[in-house]
Amino acid sequence: MEIAKTEQDADAARRAAWLSASAAARRTSPRSGPPKALKRAVRVALAAGVLIGGVVLIMPDDPGPKAPPPAPGPAARALTAVTGGAPASVADVTALITDRAAWVRTHPKDEASWAVLGSAYLERGVRGADSSFYPRAEWALRRSLEVRPKDNLDAEIALAALANARHDYAAARTLAESVRARKADRWTLYPPLIEAYNGLGDAKGAAKAVERLLELREGSAALTQAAEVYRAHGWREDASVALDEAVAHATSPVQKAASLVAAGDLAWERGEPEAALARYEAALRTDPGAHAALAGRARAGAALGKKADAQRDYLAAVAVLPRPEYLLELGELYESQGLDGDARTWFDKLQELAARDGSNGVDDALVLGRYEADHGSAHAAVDRLEAEWKAHPSPAVEDALGWAMYRAGESEEGLTHAKKATDSGVRSALFSYHQAVIERELGQSGAARRHLQDALRTNPYFSPVLAPKAKEALTALGEPPEGGPRDMYGHVAAAASGSGSGSGSGGESSASSDASSNQSGQSSQGARRPAKPRPAKPAKPSQRR
């Protein structure tokens, strides 16, 4: 087929040359003049035809015309968002899929359109929590790579994002790092690379990657990505500032709503349900399709005692965005009200959804492990989470594994994992609660009391089931013994005494001891955590409102 087309092009070129030369001969020669000029023109035409035909035959195969941009409207909006690393609405992405699918049916060698189609399928799956789109995304991206196997960076980056969506963070890192080795200034590679590093518990790698992203790219999407890294390091004020800027820099309602949802999630983690509720409602006003805000509003509503409203919002959220973690949260909300039958219904739906995700290449091991540890077989949870921890040793997996081990009767080993999770820098009430319960089981009452207080200080509403238990456990432990800590012989250390200079000396000694302790704590954390990245493009902190 391609050879026949090439020969037809060569014939057409020869005919064009002949006609051109003939016309030239007629223009430059008298109508009744000698035929020599015409003969020379014919010879030139034949030579030119042979030459042009030869060039056509030795040229590489034409990959075909590139697709024109979609007409202004939903598909064009989605194309701008997808190629710009920003979220797009489900309706717009669906229009883009229809547009590019029609084009590649008649232009199968347009590798760029195949890559766009694959990215659109991926975005459609993520936006609707529908993993059935992931095999279609992979098929289109692989097709793009078949057409252009080398330096097809857009398809490779999209495959890395697809691996993240399937929770295969190791594969995502490999793909993104491969692109970075060849084209380190391609900013679109950094969002999937950062997500992969976070999924693998590589805080240092994520910090360096986000710093590079902010050097290469301004705007809402980059700031939202930076905020996630700051949050993972426990730098909540920096994360809050970055998200405020992300909202201000958003260029579409969908993008602004996504930043508002992230800001709501951060406020929720800080134990501020009223502030979280305000951001979720703002997100829904901005983009009624921001269904993640419905789940966030349900979470905040439950914390504020609006459990009927919370149930309604959860049901609305899972109807259009059936993420496994939302099903688990809804089941636990029913459980906290003593509605065990309703809770079991949603736990069963969670397992069905995870099985469907698994058939589409998605690994839901983390949420399944959390479910099994508290509501199913703790030993099955340990087996599942140990495998997940070896593949993706993130703080979230570390915490879940430690808790599952405690539930399965392996408290000492479980405490080792729980400590690593809380020491990672992530400020999580759930992590602190899990560590506290394991410490109490092992007779470490002082440490248990401290971590229960940390959990309730971080977020006193962190779980409708576990937060009340944390308060009960703290009450049961009571206040620490009077007189302060005892030495190795069981004696209470003598309190500092004296007045005037002696009292001042004692105060200075205490302050020095506290400072030394703080420095020691910072030093030990500094060995684990990377240097704090700062946005390169946004305004300096002193200039921020």
Side-chain angles (χ1 to χ4, degrees), residues 79 82-83 96 100 111-121 141 144:
L79 180 62
V82 168
T83 56
L96 179 60
R100 293 298 98 162
E111 82 285 349
S113 289
W114 279 114
V116 170
L117 179 60
S119 298
Y121 277 134
L141 295 171
S144 178

Side-chain angles (χ1 to χ4, degrees), residues 104-146:
V104 296
R105 273 195 293 270
T106 55
H107 302 84
K109 288 195 173 183
D110 183 357
E111 82 285 349
S113 289
W114 279 114
V116 170
L117 179 60
S119 298
Y121 277 134
L122 172 59
E123 180 69 9
R124 177 63 182 82
V126 171
R127 288 286 295 173
D130 187 348
S131 61
S132 68
F133 283 92
Y134 296 164
R136 291 179 247 183
E138 182 174 8
W139 168 74
L141 295 171
R142 297 290 182 195
R143 185 72 183 90
S144 178
L145 287 169
E146 287 176 10

